[in-house]
């Protein structure tokens, strides 16, 4: 059985200054959740949203929230298995490729 992937979306309510005219981090989280579910139906994965300015999570998640702020990463930042897959305006193709790398398969 393949490993159940965990997707972490790090962002904030206010839109990143460099990401004007893009969807909010929360909107991107909801969009990705729906898109991944459609692409890989009946295949389990976890997706979580973390507000970088409300860092009240476990030590690892809090540290990454601080990293996003300190390194001025464009948010939302999409992380899969501790690897940054996209930031600012994440690309579905890249995210899908990462899922396929872990054994997920498309029904489309």
């Amino acid at each position: 059985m393949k490993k159940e992937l965990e997707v972490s979306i790090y962002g904030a309510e206010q839109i990143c200054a460099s990401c004007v005219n893009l969807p909010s981090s929360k909107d991107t989280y909801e969009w990705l959740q729906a898109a991944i579910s459609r692409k890989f139906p009946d295949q389990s994965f976890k997706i979580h949203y973390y507000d970088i300015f409300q860092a009240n999570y476990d030590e690892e998640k809090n540290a990454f929230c601080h990293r996003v702020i300190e390194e001025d990463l464009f948010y939302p930042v999409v992380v899969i298995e501790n690897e940054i897959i996209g930031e600012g305006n994440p690309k579905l193709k890249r995210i899908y490729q990462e899922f396929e790398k872990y054994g997920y398969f498309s029904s489309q």
Side-chain angles (χ1 to χ4, degrees), residues 6 14 20 38 44 53 61-62 72 82-83 105-106:
E6 180 177 347
Q14 72 270 18
V20 177
R38 276 192 308 274
S44 182
F53 296 113
K61 303 299 184 200
N62 287 344
D72 288 326
N82 299 315
E83 181 182 345
F105 56 92
S106 172

Side-chain angles (χ1 to χ4, degrees), residues 10 16-19 68 71-78 86-89:
Y10 293 87
C16 168
S18 299
C19 303
V68 172
E71 294 181 16
D72 288 326
L73 298 176
F74 298 134
Y75 48 87
V77 178
V78 178
E87 51 178 301
N89 187 16

Side-chain angles (χ1 to χ4, degrees), residues 2 33-45 96 99-100 103-108:
K2 68 180 166 283
Q33 186 173 31
I36 295 168
S37 294
R38 276 192 308 274
K39 182 75 170 178
F40 304 106
D42 303 319
Q43 297 170 74
S44 182
F45 67 94
Y96 291 162
F99 268 72
E100 289 166 354
Y104 286 73
F105 56 92
S106 172
S107 67
Q108 301 171 358

Side-chain angles (χ1 to χ4, degrees), residues 18-32:
S18 299
C19 303
V20 177
N21 297 325
L22 293 177
S24 72
S25 296
K26 196 76 158 175
D27 288 342
T28 299
Y29 158 75
E30 292 168 356
W31 169 71
L32 283 175

